[in-house]
Amino acid sequence: MARKPARAPTNGRRPNDDIGEEMRLKLYHSQFRLRQAEQRAYDLFLQNLVKGTSHLSLGQEAIAAGFGCAMKKGDHTFCTYRGHAHTLARGVPVEKVLGELMQRDNGLMRGKGGSMHLTSAEHGVMGSYAIIGAHLPIACGAALRAQYKGDKDVTVCFFGDGTTNIGAFHEALNFAAIWKLPVVFVCENNHYMEYTPIGDITAVPSPAGDRASAYGLAKIVIDGNDADEVYRTAQAAFARARAGDGPSLIECLTYRHSGHSRADPGAYRPKGELERWKKDKDPINIYRERMTQFGIAQDQIDNIEAEVNEEVEKATEACKAAPNPPMDILFTDVYADGGWAWRN
């Protein structure tokens, strides 16, 4: 008869376990929440309730969850147009994100930003950037502000593998290294830069990791579908940044389950590749099994999933019932004072 896994000690930490039950439950909650929210965004798109295109992170949840759980209040997130997961991982309500995608008045920016421009300064989400690589120098600016003022917040900048061939990537890395800025650069290497395999147009096997030494940084390449490994790596990088030891460049190997955008069927992928990643490297399945191995009870896992499903359902219904933005906000928030009139 198979033995049931032992329950974790009352302090939530098993021998030689540096993460503990409480954080594992938090990591799983975040990953499952990101998966369900983005799957719902996909469903709403098919119902023609999400206008325009959207870029999903299905299959990449462990990266956003791992870094999100390691970050502290006051830390800053900069992400790309594939930013739904990173926005949610900082605690933004699902209703606010879905509402923004659906261009409803209850959205994060009252429907004026849409899928590719999610921003919530309240939660430390300093924007989603649609121009490839544009946010890396801006992230350096945020980190320079912290250094100059003596603050201890860390800036985390997420980008895709294709960004490593953009000039702004190299300029930002060089600047951050020279000034020893408290910024962590995170490459989400999902193996495809839009529709092209990254290996076809990059001179090195690891597009981010193999460039690190050019800026005096350590090569860090990790399994981006293992939330524990992501979390541990993030903690180490944040400690380095807060201590004044400068930036880190982390390459997280992952795989997106959907196409580049909702207009992309992903037909360029080799036959069977997607199925193999879903079967062997799905971060949700990996972590669910991990929790069982560490003695976390099935009812705790079930409760997390039920709680998340209820949140997503309530958010969906609230967004469907929400009105469109009123016309009188069309010209607001153009300038920093909230207005639109040009002033010399």
Side-chain angles (χ1 to χ4, degrees):
M1 180 181 295
R3 295 179 60 187
K4 294 178 63 177
R7 288 285 293 126
T10 55
N11 63 3
R13 198 175 293 276
R14 292 167 61 86
N16 302 316
D17 177 18
D18 61 323
I19 292 180
E21 181 175 305
E22 182 179 353
M23 181 53 68
R24 280 213 164 82
L25 292 171
K26 185 177 179 181
L27 283 163
Y28 184 68
H29 182 279
S30 181
Q31 291 178 87
F32 191 75
R33 182 171 177 263
L34 304 185
R35 172 66 60 87
Q36 296 304 96
E38 288 224 299
Q39 184 60 52
R40 181 55 52 88
Y42 172 80
D43 296 339
L44 292 169
F45 179 89
L46 293 181
Q47 297 173 41
N48 200 33
L49 292 173
V50 173
K51 307 298 182 181
T53 191
S54 61
H55 305 78
L56 304 179
S57 298
L58 296 170
Q60 302 182 191
E61 295 87 357
I63 300 172
F67 276 93
C69 288
M71 294 173 79
K72 296 180 178 179
K73 184 176 177 59
D75 289 341
H76 295 99
T77 294
F78 287 79
C79 50
T80 70
Y81 49 78
R82 201 181 305 279
H84 309 158
H86 295 296
T87 302
L88 290 164
R90 293 306 306 277
V92 174
V94 174
E95 179 183 337
K96 290 292 185 181
V97 172
L98 292 183
E100 191 61 35
L101 268 62
M102 295 168 67
Q103 297 177 315
R104 300 303 172 95
D105 196 37
N106 66 336
L108 190 58
M109 297 140 74
R110 300 189 70 181
K112 294 173 66 175
S115 171
M116 292 195 288
H117 301 285
L118 298 175
T119 303
S120 177
E122 174 190 353
H123 296 88
V125 181
M126 306 308 291
S128 304
Y129 294 75
I131 299 176
I132 305 299
H135 58 312
L136 276 75
I138 302 173
C140 284
L144 180 61
R145 182 268 316 149
Q147 183 187 73
Y148 178 80
K149 295 180 68 175
D151 295 338
K152 290 299 181 181
D153 58 88
V154 174
T155 295
V156 187
C157 184
F158 299 94
F159 53 93
D161 44 277
T163 303
T164 60
N165 291 328
I166 296 291
F169 167 80
H170 299 277
E171 294 172 11
L173 262 291
N174 188 61
F175 181 68
I178 289 172
W179 285 75
K180 298 186 73 173
L181 299 179
V183 57
V184 178
F185 297 101
V186 183
C187 174
E188 299 181 90
N189 183 359
N190 60 27
H191 299 82
Y192 289 93
M193 47 171 298
E194 198 165 2
Y195 315 117
T196 305
I198 187 65
D200 287 358
I201 48 83
T202 306
V204 290
S206 298
D210 286 335
R211 267 92 173 236
S213 62
Y215 304 103
L217 302 177
K219 178 179 179 178
I220 306 174
V221 181
I222 66 172
D223 182 354
N225 283 12
D226 184 334
D228 283 352
E229 185 172 353
V230 174
Y231 177 74
R232 292 187 182 103
T233 305
Q235 282 189 309
F238 294 166
R240 171 184 168 85
R242 294 190 210 280
D245 293 330
S248 298
L249 173 60
I250 302 168
E251 180 174 340
C252 301
L253 301 178
T254 186
Y255 193 87
R256 53 175 160 82
H257 290 175
S258 55
H260 168 69
S261 68
R262 290 311 325 131
D264 172 25
Y268 45 82
R269 296 192 279 208
K271 184 178 181 180
E273 181 180 83
L274 173 60
E275 290 71 24
R276 287 192 298 273
W277 275 89
K278 283 186 172 182
K279 178 177 181 292
D280 300 328
K281 297 288 290 181
D282 185 302
I284 305 298
N285 295 341
I286 289 171
Y287 214 76
R288 191 184 285 117
E289 176 62 25
R290 176 81 46 78
M291 291 192 296
T292 301
Q293 293 170 355
F294 275 87
I296 294 176
Q298 184 62 46
D299 61 348
Q300 290 179 282
I301 299 173
D302 293 342
N303 288 340
I304 287 174
E305 295 181 357
E307 177 185 330
V308 167
N309 287 332
E310 182 179 4
E311 179 188 8
V312 172
E313 286 298 330
K314 286 183 176 179
T316 301
E317 294 309 310
C319 292
K320 287 181 177 179
N324 293 323
M327 292 296 290
D328 59 10
I329 69 168
L330 186 60
F331 293 108
T332 60
D333 304 314
V334 177
Y335 294 107
D337 66 355
W340 62 273
W342 173 259
R343 295 170 308 285
N344 291 320

